[in-house]
Amino acid sequence: MNLKNSKFYKRIQTLRHFSKEKILKERTIRTMALRGVEMALSESQCNHDVDAASVAAASAWSPPLSSTSRRKSPAGGAAKSKMIKKKTDTSPRTREKGFKPVQPASDEDNDGAEVNGYIELNKCRYRVACSGRVDATTSRAAEPLFVESKSTICVSNSRYAMIGRISRLLGYKLVKESKLWNILWSDSFPGVELFKNMKRFQQINHFPGMIEICRKDLLSRNLNRMLKLYPHDYKIFPKTWMLPADYGDAMHYALNHKHTFILKPDSGAQGRGIWLTNDLKTIGANERLICQTYVYRPLLIDGYKFDLRVYTLITSVDPLRIYVYNEGLARFATNKYVEPTPGNANDLYMHLTNYSVNKRNSQYDLCDNDDCGSKRKLSAINNWMTRHNYDVAEFWSNVDDVIIKTVLSAWPVLKHNYHACFPGHDTIQACFEILGFDILVDWKLKPYILEVNHSPSFHTNEQVDREVKRPLIRDTLTLVSTVLADKKQILREDRKRVKQRLLKSKGDRQVTAINAFCHDHHIIIYYSVLRPRQVAGGAKPPTNETNVATAPKPEAGSLAQQVAWEESHLGNFRRIMPPQDASRISYYSKFYAQSNQVSIFQETAASKKREDLARKMRLQIEEKRAKAEQMLLASTKRKRPIQPRSVREKHRQYMYRLKENWIPGFVSEAEERLRHTWQQMRSEAIKNLKITENIYALLYELGHLSNTDITVFPSLYHCLQIGYDIKGAT
C-alpha cells in the first residue's frame, strides 16, 4: 500500500499546512504591529503646535495594519494594545529619546503636560516628546525593519553573503545579472560595456574611473600633482616616489636624509610585498614599486601602532556628494612598536597594521570588549582620545579634510568618465560606491592617507566586524535613491522614445522618396501652411521638436529629490561634501579648478624620466629596423651561384657529422627499456626464422650478392659455394 495516497497521510498534510498558515499569520500581525511602533517612534522632529491637523497627519503617516488585525474582537484589540505599550516602555529607543507612550487621554490631562506631537496607532493615541536631533548611533541600534519595496538587487558578483541577507531583510528581491535589476553589487570593477548598457533606473556600486585613487601608483601620481599645485594644502600623505620613474629623485633624497623607507607594490593588496629598508641602493633600477617615507612617531595606544579604516560613501560626482560613516575599524599591530632599525625592519607584525598580516600572529587578540583587542571600533578610539584630553571634533574634521582632498584629486577624471558612460541618467545617479580609506595618525594627531580600497572587506569573522559592517550595508542600501526611480514608467518612456525615433526616421525616408520622385517627374508641390488645431483646455499640440528622440534631459527636481532623500535617510552617515560650513565650501572650490593637466604631468620628474626612456626605446627600435632593412637589401642583391653536385654532397656529409656531436635531449628510461625489448624481440625473430640466410641465398641464386655482403658474411658465402641448402636447414 502506498502511504502517500492514503487518506490519513493527506489529512496530516492538510493539518500541517493549516498550522503553518496560522503561525505565519500571527507572525505577520506581530511584525506589522512592531513595525508600526518602530516607525512611529523613529520620528525625530515634531511640531510644537498640536492641533487636529497634526494628529490626523500623524495618524495618516503610521503604517496600516493588516486586515486580520482589523477584524480582531475588542478584547483582542485591547490585549494587542497592551502588548505594544509594554514593548514601547521597555524599548531602549523609548528611554533614550524621551518617548512617552500614554493611554488615550482627555483634553484635561493634556493641558498640564508639555506635548510635542501625537501618533495614533492601533486605536491608541501616543504622546511623543521629540528632541531636535536624533542620535544616529542609537537610532539604528535595533534590527533592520521590513519595508514594502519591489526593488531588485543582484549580488551574484559578490562573495559576501551578508549583503544578500541584509538586502532581503530590507525588502529587496535577489535576482540574477541577466534580469532587470535595480542595484548591481560587485566586488570588482565592471567593464565599460556594462556601464553603457545600464537602464536609467539602474545603479551600480562602482564609479567609472575610481581606479585613479584606488591603485597605489595612480593615487601617488594624483596626490603628487596636487601637491605641486597646492603645496600648502596637500601635505596629507607621506613623501612618495614612483619607481623606476622617480628613482633618481628618491636616491637623491636618501643621500641627504637618513630615513627609513617603506616599499609597496604598485597594485598590491592585503599587505603583500611590503618591506622596509634604510638603503635604497638595494632596489633594482627597473623594479616597479611605490617608495614612501616611514612615519617614525605614530600615535600609539597601549604601545601598539594602529591605523583607521574609515568607510566613505560617494553618491554623486557631479555635484560631488560624500558621506562618512561614523563607525569604523581600528586595526592594531600585534607586536609593540619600536622605531625601525636594521634589526627589526623585517618584523612585519610591528610595523604593518594590515589585518591579513597580523591575523597570522599568535599574539593576535580576540576580544569582545571595546577597550581591548587587535581590532576595535572607532567609538572606542574616540573614548580613548576623550579620556586623554584630545579634541575629538577637530581630529575628525582633519580626517574629513583628508578624505575630501583625496577624492578631489581625481574629480576631473571621475566627472568626465561618468558623463561619458551615463549620458542619459536623468532620474537618479547611476553609481554609488563605498570606499575604505586607510588613515595613519601620528603623535600630533595629524592624519595621513595611506591607501584607498575600492572594495573593502565585508567579512564578519569577529563580533566587532558584525557590529560595524552590518549597519554600514543596511544604511547604505537605505540611503541610495533607488526608490525614486519608477522602473515601469522609465521602461515605457524608453520604448516610446525608440518608437518615435523609428517613426521619425521612416517618415524622413518617405519624404525623401517623394521629393526625389517629384524632382524626376518635374512636379511642383505647393505646401499649405495650416494653423494647428487647438486642444481642449487651451493646450497647444506637440510640435515636431517635441517628437524628436533626443537624449533625455535631466529634470530640475530630480537632483533635489535625491538630495532630500539622502538628507532624510542618513542613518549613521554624516555628510562632509558639500560641507556644512559656508567658509569650507569656498575653501574647497579652488580645488575644482584643475585645468591643463597635461602640462602639469609634463613638468614632473616622473614624466621627464618616462620621456627619456621612451625616446631611447624609440631610437633602439629605429636602429633595429634600419639594420634589418639593410640585411634584407643585401640578401636580395647577393646572387648565390649554383654549386656542383659533389660540393653539395660533401657539405651534406659535413653537416651530418656535426649532428652526431649534438647533445641529445631528455631520454625517458621507460621508452629506452621498451626500445631495447623490441630490438631483442626482433633479433630473436630474425634468428629463429633465419631471415638473413634466406635473403642471402636468394640473392646468391639471382646473382645480386655484392662484394660487401661477401666480406661481411664470409662463412655464409662459403656454405653457399659448397652447395649447402641453407633454406631447408633447420
Side-chain angles (χ1 to χ4, degrees):
M1 179 179 179
N2 192 358
L3 182 61
K4 292 186 177 181
N5 295 331
S6 62
K7 296 182 179 180
F8 178 73
Y9 181 79
K10 294 180 179 179
R11 180 61 177 171
I12 291 176
Q13 294 296 330
T14 305
L15 293 176
R16 184 180 299 173
H17 183 68
F18 178 75
S19 61
K20 286 184 179 180
E21 286 186 351
K22 185 176 180 181
I23 294 173
L24 182 61
K25 187 180 296 183
E26 293 178 355
R27 189 180 301 171
T28 304
I29 296 172
R30 190 181 305 109
T31 302
M32 294 295 292
L34 295 179
R35 184 180 66 180
V37 174
E38 293 286 348
M39 294 179 65
L41 299 181
S42 61
E43 284 292 302
S44 60
Q45 296 181 358
C46 298
N47 298 325
H48 292 277
D49 300 330
V50 180
D51 52 3
S54 62
V55 174
S59 302
W61 173 86
S62 60
L65 297 179
S66 61
S67 59
T68 55
S69 62
R70 296 192 190 99
R71 293 194 296 267
K72 290 287 183 181
S73 60
K80 183 66 67 175
S81 301
K82 187 180 297 183
M83 185 272 293
I84 295 174
K85 295 170 195 174
K86 184 176 181 181
K87 180 68 178 179
T88 53
D89 291 338
T90 58
S91 175
R93 188 177 298 183
T94 306
R95 295 195 301 268
E96 294 174 7
K97 301 299 181 296
F99 295 105
K100 302 175 182 179
V102 296
Q103 294 287 348
S106 60
D107 295 335
E108 291 97 25
D109 299 329
N110 297 334
D111 293 337
E114 182 180 357
V115 179
N116 291 333
Y118 283 105
I119 291 179
E120 187 172 339
L121 178 66
N122 201 13
K123 300 181 180 180
C124 290
R125 183 179 300 172
Y126 290 85
R127 184 166 42 201
V128 183
C130 297
S131 58
R133 181 177 179 83
V134 178
D135 188 6
T137 59
T138 57
S139 63
R140 294 288 180 178
E143 290 296 323
L145 301 176
F146 291 87
V147 296
E148 298 179 359
S149 175
K150 295 182 181 179
S151 300
T152 57
I153 184 171
C154 175
V155 294
S156 303
N157 299 329
S158 178
R159 62 182 180 273
Y160 305 110
M162 177 188 64
I163 299 176
R165 290 196 299 266
I166 295 178
S167 302
R168 194 181 292 109
L169 288 176
L170 291 175
Y172 286 91
K173 181 182 178 182
L174 302 184
V175 296
K176 298 181 180 179
E177 189 176 356
S178 58
K179 302 296 182 180
L180 285 177
W181 38 263
N182 290 88
I183 296 177
L184 175 63
W185 195 290
S186 176
D187 294 339
S188 59
F189 277 114
V192 181
E193 292 298 327
L194 180 61
F195 291 136
K196 292 290 186 180
N197 296 329
M198 283 176 55
K199 305 295 182 182
R200 290 188 294 136
F201 59 85
Q202 293 179 328
Q203 287 183 300
I204 192 170
N205 68 322
H206 290 291
F207 279 94
M210 194 60 74
I211 196 70
E212 288 289 325
I213 61 175
C214 295
R215 276 180 59 108
K216 295 183 179 66
D217 53 350
L218 300 180
L219 174 65
S220 303
R221 185 188 70 177
N222 287 312
L223 292 180
N224 282 325
R225 174 175 55 83
M226 297 299 288
L227 180 63
K228 186 177 180 63
L229 287 174
Y230 309 100
H232 300 289
D233 299 317
Y234 264 82
K235 294 180 179 180
I236 59 175
F237 64 104
K239 196 169 183 61
T240 307
W241 298 273
M242 290 180 293
L243 305 181
D246 297 333
Y247 185 79
D249 294 344
M251 292 296 297
H252 180 73
Y253 182 86
L255 291 175
N256 297 330
H257 302 82
K258 299 299 179 182
H259 214 286
T260 302
F261 301 92
I262 182 169
L263 298 166
K264 310 175 183 179
D266 54 357
S267 60
Q270 297 181 352
R272 291 189 293 264
I274 301 178
W275 51 288
L276 277 69
T277 183
N278 292 324
D279 187 11
L280 292 182
K281 295 180 181 179
T282 59
I283 306 173
N286 296 323
E287 295 188 38
R288 295 177 58 89
L289 294 171
I290 301 298
C291 179
Q292 284 185 334
T293 56
Y294 187 83
V295 179
Y296 269 108
R297 300 182 63 183
L299 182 65
L300 303 179
I301 294 181
D302 300 333
Y304 295 95
K305 179 183 177 181
F306 69 96
D307 71 342
L308 304 178
R309 169 59 63 88
V310 182
Y311 294 102
T312 304
L313 175 63
I314 301 178
T315 59
S316 174
V317 294
D318 188 21
L320 184 61
R321 297 186 63 82
I322 307 175
Y323 299 89
V324 171
Y325 203 64
N326 292 322
E327 195 62 272
L329 296 173
R331 291 94 53 86
F332 284 77
T334 48
N335 289 345
K336 288 196 173 182
Y337 178 77
V338 180
E339 288 190 1
T341 60
N344 63 10
N346 295 327
D347 190 357
L348 300 181
Y349 299 134
M350 177 190 300
H351 301 292
L352 298 185
T353 57
N354 301 79
Y355 169 74
S356 301
V357 174
N358 288 278
K359 71 179 181 180
R360 298 193 293 265
N361 191 5
S362 59
Q363 302 296 326
Y364 187 84
D365 187 9
L366 286 172
C367 181
D368 294 336
N369 192 4
D370 291 342
D371 296 332
C372 64
S374 298
K375 188 186 289 187
R376 309 178 191 178
K377 295 191 294 185
L378 293 184
S379 56
I381 305 300
N382 293 338
N383 295 334
W384 182 88
M385 288 192 293
T386 302
R387 290 195 302 267
H388 290 76
N389 298 323
Y390 288 109
D391 192 349
V392 179
E394 182 180 359
F395 167 72
W396 284 109
S397 176
N398 295 334
V399 171
D400 296 345
D401 180 72
V402 169
I403 294 174
I404 293 173
K405 290 179 179 178
T406 303
V407 178
L408 284 176
S409 66
W411 179 77
V413 178
L414 294 175
K415 177 185 176 183
H416 171 75
N417 290 357
Y418 181 83
H419 288 297
C421 294
F422 307 104
H425 268 70
D426 57 342
T427 305
I428 58 175
Q429 293 291 323
C431 305
F432 68 93
E433 188 159 4
I434 299 178
L435 300 175
F437 282 78
D438 292 343
I439 295 177
L440 182 67
V441 186
D442 65 355
W443 66 283
K444 294 182 180 179
L445 228 65
K446 180 181 179 181
Y448 291 92
I449 183 71
L450 297 181
E451 61 181 68
V452 183
N453 298 273
H454 71 90
S455 182
S457 174
F458 291 115
H459 287 300
T460 55
N461 301 325
E462 302 180 22
Q463 179 64 26
V464 63
D465 293 324
R466 292 188 287 271
E467 294 177 357
V468 172
K469 296 176 183 178
R470 284 179 179 176
L472 170 65
I473 300 298
R474 180 188 58 206
D475 291 348
T476 301
L477 293 175
T478 305
L479 189 140
V480 294
S481 55
T482 307
V483 297
L484 299 179
D486 190 352
K487 181 190 298 186
K488 295 182 178 179
Q489 181 180 358
I490 291 176
L491 291 176
R492 285 196 300 267
E493 291 177 356
D494 292 343
R495 286 195 295 267
K496 183 178 179 181
R497 186 177 294 110
V498 172
K499 184 177 180 181
Q500 290 178 353
R501 187 186 299 115
L502 293 175
L503 292 176
K504 180 181 181 298
S505 59
K506 182 178 180 181
D508 292 343
R509 288 195 298 269
Q510 291 177 353
V511 171
T512 305
I514 293 173
N515 292 335
F517 175 80
C518 296
H519 182 269
D520 294 339
H521 294 79
H522 306 284
I523 301 175
I524 301 176
I525 301 177
Y526 295 94
Y527 294 94
S528 60
V529 180
L530 301 178
R531 179 174 298 178
R533 293 176 296 174
Q534 295 293 332
V535 184
K540 295 182 179 180
T543 59
N544 293 332
E545 287 81 0
T546 59
N547 294 330
V548 177
T550 58
K553 298 180 180 179
E555 299 180 0
S558 60
L559 180 60
Q561 290 179 1
Q562 180 176 348
V563 171
W565 176 270
E566 293 175 359
E567 293 295 334
S568 60
H569 295 79
L570 286 177
N572 204 11
F573 282 101
R574 68 177 185 274
R575 177 169 56 85
I576 64 173
M577 191 66 191
Q580 304 288 347
D581 191 2
S583 60
R584 302 300 294 176
I585 296 178
S586 59
Y587 170 72
Y588 290 120
S589 61
K590 64 180 181 181
F591 301 126
Y592 285 96
Q594 304 177 35
S595 59
N596 197 14
Q597 296 186 23
V598 178
S599 61
I600 295 173
F601 284 129
Q602 289 177 350
E603 294 176 0
T604 59
S607 62
K608 294 179 181 178
K609 186 68 175 180
R610 283 193 294 270
E611 288 181 358
D612 295 339
L613 293 175
R615 184 169 57 254
K616 292 179 181 179
M617 187 177 296
R618 187 167 57 251
L619 292 175
Q620 292 178 0
I621 293 173
E622 291 178 356
E623 290 177 358
K624 290 181 179 179
R625 184 180 300 172
K627 188 176 180 179
E629 290 178 354
Q630 290 178 0
M631 293 178 62
L632 181 62
L633 184 62
S635 63
T636 54
K637 290 183 178 181
R638 188 191 316 165
K639 294 183 179 180
R640 296 182 179 179
I642 300 176
Q643 298 178 353
R645 184 179 182 84
S646 59
V647 176
R648 294 200 302 269
E649 184 65 20
K650 288 182 180 179
H651 180 71
R652 187 186 65 80
Q653 293 178 359
Y654 174 74
M655 296 300 297
Y656 181 79
R657 294 192 190 98
L658 289 180
K659 290 182 179 179
E660 294 179 352
N661 299 326
W662 287 359
I663 300 175
F666 174 77
V667 178
S668 175
E669 294 181 359
E671 293 178 0
E672 192 68 16
R673 287 195 300 268
L674 183 62
R675 187 177 67 84
H676 283 298
T677 303
W678 280 105
Q679 285 183 352
Q680 187 176 0
M681 293 173 61
R682 177 179 175 275
S683 61
E684 291 177 357
I686 291 174
K687 183 177 180 180
N688 295 332
L689 299 175
K690 298 181 180 181
I691 298 175
T692 307
E693 290 81 358
N694 296 336
I695 292 175
Y696 276 91
L698 180 62
L699 292 175
Y700 177 76
E701 292 177 357
L702 297 176
H704 296 302
L705 196 62
S706 63
N707 296 329
T708 305
D709 299 330
I710 296 173
T711 305
V712 174
F713 302 99
S715 59
L716 178 63
Y717 183 71
H718 180 69
C719 293
L720 291 172
Q721 283 182 341
I722 294 175
Y724 287 154
D725 187 8
I726 299 177
K727 295 182 180 181
T730 57

